mmCIF file of all heavy atoms in Angstrom:
data_model
loop_
_atom_site.group_PDB
_atom_site.id
_atom_site.type_symbol
_atom_site.label_atom_id
_atom_site.label_comp_id
_atom_site.label_asym_id
_atom_site.label_seq_id
_atom_site.Cartn_x
_atom_site.Cartn_y
_atom_site.Cartn_z
ATOM 1 N N VAL A 207 6.111 -46.167 -18.854
ATOM 2 C CA VAL A 207 6.793 -46.515 -20.101
ATOM 3 C C VAL A 207 5.775 -47.201 -21.001
ATOM 4 O O VAL A 207 5.234 -48.255 -20.651
ATOM 5 C CB VAL A 207 7.990 -47.436 -19.840
ATOM 6 C CG1 VAL A 207 8.690 -47.773 -21.158
ATOM 7 C CG2 VAL A 207 8.968 -46.783 -18.872
ATOM 8 N N LEU A 208 5.503 -46.600 -22.149
ATOM 9 C CA LEU A 208 4.512 -47.145 -23.071
ATOM 10 C C LEU A 208 5.203 -47.848 -24.223
ATOM 11 O O LEU A 208 6.153 -47.318 -24.818
ATOM 12 C CB LEU A 208 3.613 -46.036 -23.625
ATOM 13 C CG LEU A 208 2.700 -45.277 -22.665
ATOM 14 C CD1 LEU A 208 1.734 -44.407 -23.442
ATOM 15 C CD2 LEU A 208 1.941 -46.231 -21.763
ATOM 16 N N TYR A 209 4.697 -49.032 -24.555
ATOM 17 C CA TYR A 209 5.165 -49.771 -25.727
ATOM 18 C C TYR A 209 4.006 -49.858 -26.709
ATOM 19 O O TYR A 209 2.947 -50.414 -26.389
ATOM 20 C CB TYR A 209 5.630 -51.170 -25.342
ATOM 21 C CG TYR A 209 6.792 -51.187 -24.380
ATOM 22 C CD1 TYR A 209 6.630 -51.636 -23.067
ATOM 23 C CD2 TYR A 209 8.057 -50.765 -24.773
ATOM 24 C CE1 TYR A 209 7.690 -51.660 -22.180
ATOM 25 C CE2 TYR A 209 9.131 -50.785 -23.891
ATOM 26 C CZ TYR A 209 8.941 -51.225 -22.597
ATOM 27 O OH TYR A 209 10.003 -51.237 -21.725
ATOM 28 N N THR A 210 4.187 -49.305 -27.889
ATOM 29 C CA THR A 210 3.145 -49.330 -28.910
ATOM 30 C C THR A 210 3.758 -49.712 -30.251
ATOM 31 O O THR A 210 4.990 -49.818 -30.387
ATOM 32 C CB THR A 210 2.467 -47.950 -29.040
ATOM 33 O OG1 THR A 210 3.378 -47.021 -29.668
ATOM 34 C CG2 THR A 210 2.028 -47.403 -27.696
ATOM 35 N N ASP A 211 2.873 -49.888 -31.236
ATOM 36 C CA ASP A 211 3.356 -50.086 -32.598
ATOM 37 C C ASP A 211 3.577 -48.716 -33.243
ATOM 38 O O ASP A 211 3.528 -47.682 -32.577
ATOM 39 C CB ASP A 211 2.392 -50.954 -33.404
ATOM 40 C CG ASP A 211 0.983 -50.387 -33.432
ATOM 41 O OD1 ASP A 211 0.813 -49.164 -33.213
ATOM 42 O OD2 ASP A 211 0.032 -51.154 -33.671
ATOM 43 N N GLU A 212 3.770 -48.710 -34.558
ATOM 44 C CA GLU A 212 4.142 -47.473 -35.252
ATOM 45 C C GLU A 212 2.958 -46.610 -35.652
ATOM 46 O O GLU A 212 3.120 -45.650 -36.426
ATOM 47 C CB GLU A 212 4.961 -47.812 -36.499
ATOM 48 C CG GLU A 212 4.211 -48.596 -37.584
ATOM 49 C CD GLU A 212 4.137 -50.074 -37.322
ATOM 50 O OE1 GLU A 212 4.509 -50.509 -36.215
ATOM 51 O OE2 GLU A 212 3.694 -50.800 -38.240
ATOM 52 N N HIS A 213 1.780 -46.870 -35.138
ATOM 53 C CA HIS A 213 0.596 -46.079 -35.492
ATOM 54 C C HIS A 213 0.822 -44.608 -35.114
ATOM 55 O O HIS A 213 1.146 -44.299 -33.963
ATOM 56 C CB HIS A 213 -0.624 -46.631 -34.763
ATOM 57 C CG HIS A 213 -1.906 -45.966 -35.153
ATOM 58 N ND1 HIS A 213 -2.222 -45.612 -36.444
ATOM 59 C CD2 HIS A 213 -2.976 -45.568 -34.401
ATOM 60 C CE1 HIS A 213 -3.408 -45.045 -36.483
ATOM 61 N NE2 HIS A 213 -3.886 -45.003 -35.257
ATOM 62 N N PRO A 214 0.669 -43.669 -36.053
ATOM 63 C CA PRO A 214 0.999 -42.251 -35.786
ATOM 64 C C PRO A 214 0.185 -41.621 -34.657
ATOM 65 O O PRO A 214 0.651 -40.675 -34.021
ATOM 66 C CB PRO A 214 0.687 -41.562 -37.126
ATOM 67 C CG PRO A 214 0.741 -42.642 -38.146
ATOM 68 C CD PRO A 214 0.281 -43.883 -37.458
ATOM 69 N N ALA A 215 -1.017 -42.115 -34.378
ATOM 70 C CA ALA A 215 -1.851 -41.493 -33.343
ATOM 71 C C ALA A 215 -1.222 -41.580 -31.963
ATOM 72 O O ALA A 215 -1.515 -40.751 -31.093
ATOM 73 C CB ALA A 215 -3.233 -42.142 -33.333
ATOM 74 N N TYR A 216 -0.354 -42.565 -31.736
ATOM 75 C CA TYR A 216 0.262 -42.711 -30.419
ATOM 76 C C TYR A 216 1.347 -41.657 -30.159
ATOM 77 O O TYR A 216 1.782 -41.500 -29.013
ATOM 78 C CB TYR A 216 0.871 -44.108 -30.276
ATOM 79 C CG TYR A 216 -0.157 -45.206 -30.212
ATOM 80 C CD1 TYR A 216 -0.134 -46.266 -31.113
ATOM 81 C CD2 TYR A 216 -1.149 -45.202 -29.239
ATOM 82 C CE1 TYR A 216 -1.076 -47.291 -31.048
ATOM 83 C CE2 TYR A 216 -2.097 -46.209 -29.172
ATOM 84 C CZ TYR A 216 -2.053 -47.242 -30.083
ATOM 85 O OH TYR A 216 -2.985 -48.247 -30.025
ATOM 86 N N MET A 217 1.788 -40.961 -31.190
ATOM 87 C CA MET A 217 2.835 -39.958 -30.987
ATOM 88 C C MET A 217 2.354 -38.768 -30.167
ATOM 89 O O MET A 217 3.159 -37.963 -29.699
ATOM 90 C CB MET A 217 3.368 -39.481 -32.345
ATOM 91 C CG MET A 217 3.841 -40.611 -33.242
ATOM 92 S SD MET A 217 5.014 -41.722 -32.420
ATOM 93 C CE MET A 217 5.080 -43.090 -33.573
ATOM 94 N N ALA A 218 1.033 -38.646 -29.950
ATOM 95 C CA ALA A 218 0.487 -37.516 -29.208
ATOM 96 C C ALA A 218 0.757 -37.611 -27.714
ATOM 97 O O ALA A 218 0.497 -36.659 -26.981
ATOM 98 C CB ALA A 218 -1.021 -37.409 -29.454
ATOM 99 N N VAL A 219 1.257 -38.748 -27.220
ATOM 100 C CA VAL A 219 1.469 -38.927 -25.785
ATOM 101 C C VAL A 219 2.937 -38.855 -25.404
ATOM 102 O O VAL A 219 3.285 -39.128 -24.247
ATOM 103 C CB VAL A 219 0.873 -40.280 -25.326
ATOM 104 C CG1 VAL A 219 -0.606 -40.341 -25.625
ATOM 105 C CG2 VAL A 219 1.595 -41.451 -25.990
ATOM 106 N N ASP A 220 3.805 -38.481 -26.325
ATOM 107 C CA ASP A 220 5.242 -38.491 -26.066
ATOM 108 C C ASP A 220 5.638 -37.577 -24.915
ATOM 109 O O ASP A 220 6.599 -37.852 -24.194
ATOM 110 C CB ASP A 220 6.007 -38.099 -27.331
ATOM 111 C CG ASP A 220 5.979 -39.198 -28.381
ATOM 112 O OD1 ASP A 220 5.503 -40.300 -28.048
ATOM 113 O OD2 ASP A 220 6.403 -38.966 -29.523
ATOM 114 N N SER A 221 4.916 -36.472 -24.724
ATOM 115 C CA SER A 221 5.313 -35.504 -23.700
ATOM 116 C C SER A 221 4.966 -35.958 -22.282
ATOM 117 O O SER A 221 5.551 -35.452 -21.315
ATOM 118 C CB SER A 221 4.644 -34.155 -23.977
ATOM 119 O OG SER A 221 3.227 -34.288 -23.974
ATOM 120 N N ASP A 222 4.041 -36.881 -22.123
ATOM 121 C CA ASP A 222 3.604 -37.313 -20.789
ATOM 122 C C ASP A 222 4.097 -38.700 -20.414
ATOM 123 O O ASP A 222 3.984 -39.086 -19.249
ATOM 124 C CB ASP A 222 2.071 -37.299 -20.726
ATOM 125 C CG ASP A 222 1.496 -35.910 -20.914
ATOM 126 O OD1 ASP A 222 1.451 -35.170 -19.930
ATOM 127 O OD2 ASP A 222 1.109 -35.582 -22.060
ATOM 128 N N TYR A 223 4.599 -39.461 -21.379
ATOM 129 C CA TYR A 223 5.028 -40.827 -21.125
ATOM 130 C C TYR A 223 6.375 -41.090 -21.781
ATOM 131 O O TYR A 223 6.789 -40.363 -22.708
ATOM 132 C CB TYR A 223 3.999 -41.828 -21.665
ATOM 133 C CG TYR A 223 2.610 -41.665 -21.093
ATOM 134 C CD1 TYR A 223 1.681 -40.847 -21.711
ATOM 135 C CD2 TYR A 223 2.235 -42.335 -19.932
ATOM 136 C CE1 TYR A 223 0.398 -40.692 -21.196
ATOM 137 C CE2 TYR A 223 0.956 -42.183 -19.407
ATOM 138 C CZ TYR A 223 0.048 -41.362 -20.037
ATOM 139 O OH TYR A 223 -1.213 -41.206 -19.523
ATOM 140 N N VAL A 224 7.056 -42.117 -21.297
ATOM 141 C CA VAL A 224 8.260 -42.605 -21.970
ATOM 142 C C VAL A 224 7.781 -43.557 -23.055
ATOM 143 O O VAL A 224 7.383 -44.692 -22.782
ATOM 144 C CB VAL A 224 9.199 -43.311 -20.977
ATOM 145 C CG1 VAL A 224 10.454 -43.792 -21.705
ATOM 146 C CG2 VAL A 224 9.567 -42.392 -19.825
ATOM 147 N N HIS A 225 7.797 -43.102 -24.279
ATOM 148 C CA HIS A 225 7.164 -43.823 -25.378
ATOM 149 C C HIS A 225 8.214 -44.552 -26.209
ATOM 150 O O HIS A 225 9.150 -43.952 -26.742
ATOM 151 C CB HIS A 225 6.393 -42.832 -26.269
ATOM 152 C CG HIS A 225 5.578 -43.493 -27.327
ATOM 153 N ND1 HIS A 225 5.098 -42.836 -28.437
ATOM 154 C CD2 HIS A 225 5.158 -44.790 -27.453
ATOM 155 C CE1 HIS A 225 4.422 -43.673 -29.193
ATOM 156 N NE2 HIS A 225 4.450 -44.859 -28.612
ATOM 157 N N LYS A 226 8.046 -45.872 -26.330
ATOM 158 C CA LYS A 226 8.945 -46.691 -27.144
ATOM 159 C C LYS A 226 8.120 -47.416 -28.196
ATOM 160 O O LYS A 226 7.065 -47.981 -27.884
ATOM 161 C CB LYS A 226 9.711 -47.684 -26.286
ATOM 162 C CG LYS A 226 10.605 -47.006 -25.250
ATOM 163 C CD LYS A 226 11.429 -48.010 -24.461
ATOM 164 C CE LYS A 226 12.322 -47.306 -23.453
ATOM 165 N NZ LYS A 226 13.153 -48.259 -22.686
ATOM 166 N N VAL A 227 8.602 -47.418 -29.430
ATOM 167 C CA VAL A 227 7.834 -47.912 -30.576
ATOM 168 C C VAL A 227 8.508 -49.133 -31.175
ATOM 169 O O VAL A 227 9.744 -49.161 -31.336
ATOM 170 C CB VAL A 227 7.676 -46.808 -31.643
ATOM 171 C CG1 VAL A 227 6.904 -47.329 -32.853
ATOM 172 C CG2 VAL A 227 6.987 -45.584 -31.048
ATOM 173 N N ILE A 228 7.699 -50.132 -31.504
ATOM 174 C CA ILE A 228 8.180 -51.293 -32.242
ATOM 175 C C ILE A 228 7.604 -51.241 -33.649
ATOM 176 O O ILE A 228 6.387 -51.117 -33.819
ATOM 177 C CB ILE A 228 7.800 -52.611 -31.518
ATOM 178 C CG1 ILE A 228 8.356 -53.818 -32.263
ATOM 179 C CG2 ILE A 228 6.297 -52.724 -31.321
ATOM 180 C CD1 ILE A 228 9.843 -53.958 -32.158
ATOM 181 N N ASN A 229 8.430 -51.295 -34.644
ATOM 182 C CA ASN A 229 7.998 -51.250 -36.037
ATOM 183 C C ASN A 229 7.757 -52.677 -36.518
ATOM 184 O O ASN A 229 8.695 -53.436 -36.744
ATOM 185 C CB ASN A 229 9.044 -50.547 -36.904
ATOM 186 C CG ASN A 229 8.533 -50.257 -38.299
ATOM 187 O OD1 ASN A 229 7.576 -50.882 -38.767
ATOM 188 N ND2 ASN A 229 9.143 -49.301 -38.966
ATOM 189 N N HIS A 230 6.502 -53.033 -36.710
ATOM 190 C CA HIS A 230 6.171 -54.406 -37.084
ATOM 191 C C HIS A 230 6.545 -54.728 -38.532
ATOM 192 O O HIS A 230 6.511 -55.896 -38.926
ATOM 193 C CB HIS A 230 4.682 -54.658 -36.856
ATOM 194 C CG HIS A 230 4.330 -54.784 -35.406
ATOM 195 N ND1 HIS A 230 3.043 -54.662 -34.916
ATOM 196 C CD2 HIS A 230 5.113 -55.020 -34.310
ATOM 197 C CE1 HIS A 230 3.039 -54.820 -33.608
ATOM 198 N NE2 HIS A 230 4.270 -55.041 -33.223
ATOM 199 N N LEU A 231 6.867 -53.728 -39.307
ATOM 200 C CA LEU A 231 7.342 -53.995 -40.664
ATOM 201 C C LEU A 231 8.769 -54.532 -40.655
ATOM 202 O O LEU A 231 9.211 -55.171 -41.613
ATOM 203 C CB LEU A 231 7.265 -52.728 -41.510
ATOM 204 C CG LEU A 231 5.863 -52.180 -41.785
ATOM 205 C CD1 LEU A 231 5.944 -50.874 -42.573
ATOM 206 C CD2 LEU A 231 5.025 -53.194 -42.540
ATOM 207 N N GLN A 232 9.491 -54.284 -39.574
ATOM 208 C CA GLN A 232 10.881 -54.733 -39.465
ATOM 209 C C GLN A 232 11.013 -55.956 -38.562
ATOM 210 O O GLN A 232 11.636 -56.943 -38.927
ATOM 211 C CB GLN A 232 11.756 -53.587 -38.934
ATOM 212 C CG GLN A 232 11.757 -52.360 -39.849
ATOM 213 C CD GLN A 232 12.549 -51.208 -39.265
ATOM 214 O OE1 GLN A 232 13.053 -51.294 -38.147
ATOM 215 N NE2 GLN A 232 12.657 -50.110 -40.005
ATOM 216 N N HIS A 233 10.446 -55.886 -37.368
ATOM 217 C CA HIS A 233 10.502 -57.002 -36.433
ATOM 218 C C HIS A 233 9.402 -56.838 -35.399
ATOM 219 O O HIS A 233 8.799 -55.780 -35.273
ATOM 220 C CB HIS A 233 11.874 -57.103 -35.745
ATOM 221 C CG HIS A 233 12.449 -55.773 -35.371
ATOM 222 N ND1 HIS A 233 13.681 -55.348 -35.785
ATOM 223 C CD2 HIS A 233 11.943 -54.757 -34.640
ATOM 224 C CE1 HIS A 233 13.914 -54.140 -35.310
ATOM 225 N NE2 HIS A 233 12.878 -53.759 -34.608
ATOM 226 N N TYR A 234 9.163 -57.906 -34.633
ATOM 227 C CA TYR A 234 8.115 -57.889 -33.619
ATOM 228 C C TYR A 234 8.668 -57.751 -32.204
ATOM 229 O O TYR A 234 7.924 -57.415 -31.286
ATOM 230 C CB TYR A 234 7.262 -59.166 -33.714
ATOM 231 C CG TYR A 234 6.295 -59.126 -34.870
ATOM 232 C CD1 TYR A 234 6.672 -59.594 -36.123
ATOM 233 C CD2 TYR A 234 5.024 -58.599 -34.718
ATOM 234 C CE1 TYR A 234 5.792 -59.546 -37.196
ATOM 235 C CE2 TYR A 234 4.129 -58.542 -35.780
ATOM 236 C CZ TYR A 234 4.534 -59.011 -37.020
ATOM 237 O OH TYR A 234 3.657 -58.958 -38.083
ATOM 238 N N VAL A 235 9.952 -58.034 -32.028
ATOM 239 C CA VAL A 235 10.572 -57.901 -30.715
ATOM 240 C C VAL A 235 11.918 -57.233 -30.882
ATOM 241 O O VAL A 235 12.724 -57.635 -31.721
ATOM 242 C CB VAL A 235 10.747 -59.285 -30.029
ATOM 243 C CG1 VAL A 235 11.433 -59.107 -28.672
ATOM 244 C CG2 VAL A 235 9.413 -59.981 -29.852
ATOM 245 N N ASP A 236 12.159 -56.206 -30.059
ATOM 246 C CA ASP A 236 13.458 -55.528 -30.040
ATOM 247 C C ASP A 236 13.858 -55.358 -28.584
ATOM 248 O O ASP A 236 13.596 -54.328 -27.960
ATOM 249 C CB ASP A 236 13.366 -54.172 -30.741
ATOM 250 C CG ASP A 236 14.730 -53.479 -30.842
ATOM 251 O OD1 ASP A 236 15.742 -54.135 -30.531
ATOM 252 O OD2 ASP A 236 14.769 -52.289 -31.199
#
Side-chain angles (χ1 to χ4, degrees):
V207 180
L208 295 190
Y209 298 112
T210 72
D211 56 22
E212 65 279 9
H213 185 40
Y216 291 124
M217 306 308 168
V219 301
D220 288 352
S221 59
D222 297 277
Y223 302 91
V224 181
H225 187 198
K226 298 184 179 181
V227 179
I228 182 71
N229 190 339
H230 287 162
L231 295 177
Q232 299 176 357
H233 40 236
Y234 284 89
V235 179
D236 185 9

